[in-house]
Amino acid sequence: RCQSALVGQATSHDRWRASNPRPGRGTGAGMKLSKFIKVVLVALGVVSLVFNVWQVWELSGTLGHSARAEQRVTGGRAGMRGSTVDPGVAAALAPLDAQLGNARVARVSASRRKDAKLFSYLGMSLQTLLDDAALTTTSGANKAKFQDPTDLLRAQWVTHGQSSTRAGEIRECHVLWGTWVTNLEFFDHRLHDGLLINSMLGLEQDALGTPATFAQTHRRCIQAHGYRRCDHASPSLFIHAHTDPSRFETVFGEDTLADLATWRDLAKNDVRAIWVAKPASYARSQVHRAMELFGLTQLIASNDKLPTGIWSLAPYVTSPLLWKSFRYFVRAWAVVTSAVPLRVYVLQDGWAHLAAEPYKEEQLSSNYKTRCMHFHSPENCRFFVDKTTLRVNTQEFQGDLSSRRGEIEPYGFWQRKAWPSVESAVTRTVLMAWPQLAQYELILRREGFRHRRVAMLDLLLFVDDSGAATVHDVDTSGVAADESLECSLPYELDALMVAGVNAFPSRPDYRAQMVVELSAFCRDRGGCIAEDARQLIALHDERQHAGNFKLTFPVGPDGAGKGEPGCGPLCHFLEDGPSLGQREGGSGGTSQSDRIEARRQHELTWAYMRVYPPLPHRGPQFSRDGSCRSMSDEDEAFLRIAMTREAADGRDVVEEAARTNRTQDDYLGKKFSLRPEMLPAGVRIGGSGDAAKARRESSLERVAKEAAAEVADEAAEDDGRDA
């Protein structure tokens, strides 16, 4: 009973305590709810903290990774002194980021129809011509087609969708790719912001597009800077068909001559100088035609008569660097991605267009009329060798270079002297036209046009036996792949990438690092406006997508990483600033504000490159087997060993090539793959030529084996270090 009473009292006490809790205490359920609320609040706090940390991480461009990347690239420079993005950089990036991932549309002219497949390779959609009727014009009752119409702006185009086909508008396009033959086309109001076109205002008509404009631009260069600084092209003169070339000095007078002393030296002592003559008309501008290697170009001497018209005359290179006793033209490609500030990229390869017949300099006074000995023309000449065009940065070409004036070291001579001269001549050709291009560019900007303009240049050059290159002709609608040009298809894809036709698709991979660098640079300069930041972003994008193209202006570090970015030895081309050239009764219209603006943008670009210099380019893409891949370690080792041997004793690999190019008899049958039906009467293939070929192949095999062994040793050392 006592236990029951106690239990009853405890139970009643518990019921009373449950109905009358003490102050500050709760029920069991209330305490559980309170603990749950506390856990939820703590969790929300942790989530909020993590979210804030993630936001800071994103804003600073992934601080940890970017900081390490910045330390690697800049060598520990203080580029992370803040985590904010410069407003100018943010404003410039916003429209560019919006383009990434979106479908891009290109309109490719009929004149560049072969390029359409390249745009498809890059994942772009194409607008196509509705029909050929849109390309006709009516004159009375008759219809006449344009010979080379600018169909990009004047024809009817259609866009092919998944379910229907509709009329194509320019506002839907991101790229207009064709031929631009008049300056007025650049002022079309339909050319919207961000649209990319493959030409620059004035490039074709006033700077480089025809023999006449090229000669006039070069003459202005000589008048402003002197011939020595403009020796990348031969001085040209205009001459009427009835004028005797030997008497042109008295016809034109000193004020018309580019360099009177140079011309007098050519004709002194009754030496019959040879000139190369090109039609000096603007026809190629009005109806664009590609430059010619044969066609209307002629070689003339004193008392020769030319067809009716006006001609551009220039001295002919009579002592060229030869390939197996043959003359050749070097074809080079260049991409100009901006005029203000100027940025020039040159392809690190090229092509040699061979002449059909061996060159005989000692008989030049009589054989200069033998055109197949001097010009490349597969359609009009019968070739003594199997190939008519060679890539210049291959063993097949460089190993058989020769000069009539003595022995040379082919690999080292081309790599150290001839190819740098080609690069320099191409770059200076663009620089001599820069005053006109820059003035036109600033005019377009003042008029409110914000479409992007790039230039695709195709240049032909002579290379003489001293390694100096001179430009013969320029095609301003160049960089076009062709079956006759080995590897030209991937090279043109590289050109399209560096021009940005597909909006630089790799930008997300380096965007964080780029934002950090640009923001730090702009912050140190007190901020950047959006236009300046846009140019710096374009420079960064182009360097990441350049492929086989090398930035040759602004001048950067050399292959050894030496040199400071800027204008280097080419500053004199920029001294006068933008200009349309001297005109009668006054100057070319250059304003002080234009000069200041051009100089400011150039100095901004150079300053950025000094803080964040580009990595040195590996140089010409040398290939032993002629493949289109980038230079391998084996190719590099082969080239290094061959150049070292040449420098040491001038023998071994290249001795046989130099010896067998001495005489006409040696050239026949001993060095080349000749077709028997092409040989002159009485000449047989075989004999000592087979022994020479065997010795040469043996020496090349030794070098190849040494190169492979060197690469294998390096790989073994790397494996040892890893172990």
Side-chain angles (χ1 to χ4, degrees), residues 557-562 614-619:
D558 58 15
K562 300 179 180 179
L615 296 175
H617 201 281
R618 289 188 71 177

Side-chain angles (χ1 to χ4, degrees), residues 283-305:
R284 199 169 77 187
S285 176
Q286 297 166 356
V287 180
H288 184 90
R289 294 194 303 268
M291 58 188 179
E292 298 173 311
L293 286 169
F294 198 76
L296 298 176
T297 302
Q298 301 187 30
L299 296 181
I300 64 170
S302 300
N303 302 318
D304 288 344
K305 293 183 179 180

Side-chain angles (χ1 to χ4, degrees), residues 636-651:
E636 190 173 7
F638 176 91
L639 184 62
R640 183 171 61 253
I641 293 175
M643 292 171 63
T644 302
R645 287 178 173 241
E646 290 171 2
D649 57 8
R651 298 294 189 273

